[in-house]
Amino acid sequence: MRMLGRLLAGLMLALGLAAPVFAEDGYDLWLRFRPLAGNALSQAETRLGSVAAADAGSTAVTELTRGLTGLLGRPVPVAAGGKVLVGTADDPTIKSLGLDLSGLGNDGYVIRSVQDRTVIAAGTKTGLLYGAFHLLRLAQEQGPLTALSVREVPRIDRRVLNHWDNLDRYVERGYAGESIFDWHKLPDWQDPRYKDYARANASIGINGTVVNNVNANATILTRPWLEKVKALADIFRPYGIKIYLVARFSAPKEIGGLANADPLDPAVVAWWKAKADEVYSIIPDFGGFLIKANSEGQPGPQDYGRTHADGANMLADAVAPHGGIIMWRAFVYSHETPDDRAKQAYSEFVPLDGTFRDNVLVQVKNGAVDFQPREPFHPLFGAMPKTPLMMEFQITKEYLGFATHLAYLAPMWKETLAADTFRPKQGATVAKVVDGSLDGHKLSAMAGVANIGSDRNWTGSVFDQANWYAYGRLAWNHDLTSDAIAREWIAATFGPDRALVDPILSMMLPSHEAVVEYMTPLGLHHLMGRGHHYGPAPWVDGGPRADWTSVYYHRATKDGIGFDRTRKGSGAVDQYAKVWADRFDKVKTTPPELLLWFHHVGWQEKLSTGRTLWAELLYRYGHGIQTVSGMRRTWDGLKDKVDGPRWTQTAAFLAIQEREAQWWRDASVAYWQSFHGLPLPPGEKPPPQSLSYYQSLSFPFAPGDGK
Ligand code: GCW
């Protein structure tokens, strides 16, 4: 028998099959921890070969040894004198090192090389967990593991995912399968995926999750469902992740049997207080509620003639005794209001500044319309200094080509975070508003609308994993560059070899701008297909609401195109600080990237770029397509360096992207030409199909549509 075993092993070795085989199906995300080799292995062996911890069963130690075991290709023991020392500030061994552990708060940590040991120290277990993942990242990157001196404290306290997941597992704007939350089987069946989800989030610093859609169903607040939520909370807790829920404002009527949901009605107040008490009796560390009120048909305080502050404060009082918070969305607009949609949130919320309880955050999307490929920063940032404003980014690519277009979103998010509100003066960036440092707010938060689903690779495409990753890293530290985040992600996801990192980076960095260029260049916005938002449909008109049509946003005529938001138009420019307002008010001083967001410009008008508007549009469409073609070529060149499954899927998706980029250009060009009949600039090919052909296309089962 033994003989046979040896023979078999020898045979496998000879065939090169002895190395462990890993399924590169994307499930492991950036937590692959594949075995190191050569110098990287010997360095890791020397520096990280064993672990010492007073609390060997902690999540930090479990994760650290799990990752190291993968990297070293052998079990990593936890024993006294281990090379990596993990401990909180009150641990006697840590104390004896005399490290400065002040100011680390709940989540901060230090990593230090102390003689031949590596120390991870923090104030809390959560801090240790973040430190463990940081050290594992360094090991995966195969950089130096000596003379380490890291001190990390997150800039934003609540780093939250928003799942637009319905209770029947349909994910609104989801492109990665159904919801990972299998409510029907909870609490009894606890899918191992929940823990893997928690690990992935913790590894990038995400510490909160809102598990139900902002277009909410009140059922989740009933007792049996709260028991299901509790099961998730129990799994997430060791990973430092708090659960939050969306509270449907009309819940007192729908599940409470009350006649109304008026926030000033004592019976309603009492109902929410009792509901909050119940939630906290089941989940003592529950985070709080998120609310979408009086927006796109959702119920809210205005149904009773009350303000957003009345609604938010009533809920805030209910959760305050338990330390909970309220995240109240500012994404409000109504087609019954005759004003420019982009102006409405500002008009409604600015007058309420200073009237919210101190456990309320107002959650503001990065731009004033709706997660468009490019928007100027939302004018609310900087305009409500007495209220903590939290950022809402969209990780899922509703308006950016779904899962098949490669668009790395860190550059887009950085653009907003770095924008200077000039309120009250220069240097008041959106990032400083959001992290609370500008106005000295205690609460700070960021939300990312998740792109996670039950697809094996979690996000529907390998490259969309990078957006989940980048969101977490930026929520932790908004000073990180898009470049640095991408490098980390590539090294962990594909390997640290420069022959991989450099070309993949060169695909990722221009990818967002490419999407902007082939879909909505020069400040155009909201031209996607009706309802599902798939593909070009700048001709969308009519229907229930003007502000859900494309023509509302582009306003094309025979003479020109663009939404006049200047002082002569909707006046939206004046919602910005004067420096910006004056700049945005004039074509000449408006950045070309935002031109048609703020101006209606003649087709033949000469732009600062030297081209006419018409020629510039064509130039940008073409440039966007070329970038995608370049990405495809680069990826083709990596065929031998990337595993088959991930290479093949990405190659197929890039082909889709290239085809759809061309489709966007052709359909748009055919449509714009129908207004003005101008010839194409020299060298530009006419769209291969008629406008009516593009208009006839329909996509009845495109994923993610709102229900
Ligand atoms: O982007 C839009 C989406 C809606 C979404 C809404 C919102 C959850 O098209 O599907 O609803 O924004 O942010 O509330």
Side-chain angles (χ1 to χ4, degrees), residues 164 172-173 213-215 292 296 329 331 365 370-371 392 394 398-399 533:
W164 287 355
E172 185 162 345
R173 311 310 173 184
N213 191 352
V214 288
N215 292 330
K292 172 177 179 177
E296 301 184 329
R329 293 177 95 220
F331 178 66
K365 289 188 181 181
D370 192 5
F371 296 138
E392 178 175 328
Q394 192 179 44
E398 174 182 1
Y399 296 101
H533 299 155

Side-chain angles (χ1 to χ4, degrees), residues 372-602:
Q372 293 306 296
R374 167 163 285 115
E375 297 199 28
F377 69 91
H378 202 304
L380 270 176
F381 292 113
M384 293 183 65
K386 296 188 196 120
T387 311
L389 299 188
M390 62 184 281
M391 174 63 77
E392 178 175 328
F393 285 133
Q394 192 179 44
I395 310 170
T396 189
K397 304 207 311 300
E398 174 182 1
Y399 296 101
L400 285 143
F402 297 5
T404 46
H405 292 211
L406 195 166
Y408 171 52
L409 300 182
M412 174 172 86
W413 298 330
K414 290 283 292 181
E415 187 174 305
T416 306
L417 290 166
D420 196 335
T421 70
F422 278 93
R423 283 182 159 140
K425 55 178 196 303
Q426 191 167 12
T429 59
V430 171
K432 286 188 191 164
V433 174
V434 173
D435 72 17
S437 62
L438 186 69
D439 304 302
H441 291 302
K442 277 210 304 279
L443 278 180
S444 62
M446 192 183 276
V449 179
N451 62 352
I452 298 159
S454 52
D455 274 10
R456 183 70 191 158
N457 67 12
W458 299 88
T459 54
S461 85
V462 176
F463 277 86
D464 279 333
Q465 298 177 352
N467 292 327
W468 177 7
Y469 185 89
Y471 166 72
R473 298 291 289 132
L474 277 178
W476 180 278
N477 179 4
H478 51 67
D479 279 337
L480 291 172
T481 64
S482 303
D483 183 296
I485 297 170
R487 282 176 189 282
E488 283 180 7
W489 177 79
I490 300 166
T493 304
F494 293 108
D497 180 358
R498 290 203 61 173
L500 270 170
V501 175
D502 292 348
I504 295 178
L505 189 69
S506 79
M507 294 168 61
M508 291 170 74
L509 288 181
S511 60
H512 163 254
E513 196 65 43
V515 179
V516 174
E517 287 187 320
Y518 63 69
M519 284 190 186
T520 50
L522 294 172
L524 286 171
H525 48 289
H526 222 301
L527 308 182
M528 296 75 187
R530 195 198 291 275
H532 48 62
H533 299 155
Y534 172 67
W539 46 79
V540 165
D541 196 0
R545 321 179 36 151
D547 53 7
W548 285 358
T549 67
S550 304
V551 298
Y552 175 92
Y553 296 99
H554 66 67
R555 312 210 159 193
T557 63
K558 186 176 178 307
D559 304 312
I561 180 171
F563 197 129
D564 184 357
R565 294 192 164 107
T566 67
R567 290 168 185 143
K568 293 202 196 86
S570 81
V573 293
D574 277 325
Q575 292 186 335
Y576 289 94
K578 193 164 180 316
V579 190
W580 282 122
D582 290 346
R583 247 186 244 178
F584 292 152
D585 198 48
K586 293 186 213 64
V587 167
K588 259 176 62 191
T589 46
T590 301
E593 284 67 34
L594 296 174
L595 188 64
L596 305 178
W597 185 279
F598 288 114
H599 300 275
H600 189 81
V601 181

Side-chain angles (χ1 to χ4, degrees), residues 31-47:
L31 301 172
R32 289 161 61 252
F33 305 124
R34 300 290 186 256
L36 300 169
N39 287 342
L41 177 61
S42 41
Q43 184 190 212
E45 276 289 356
T46 321
R47 308 295 308 185

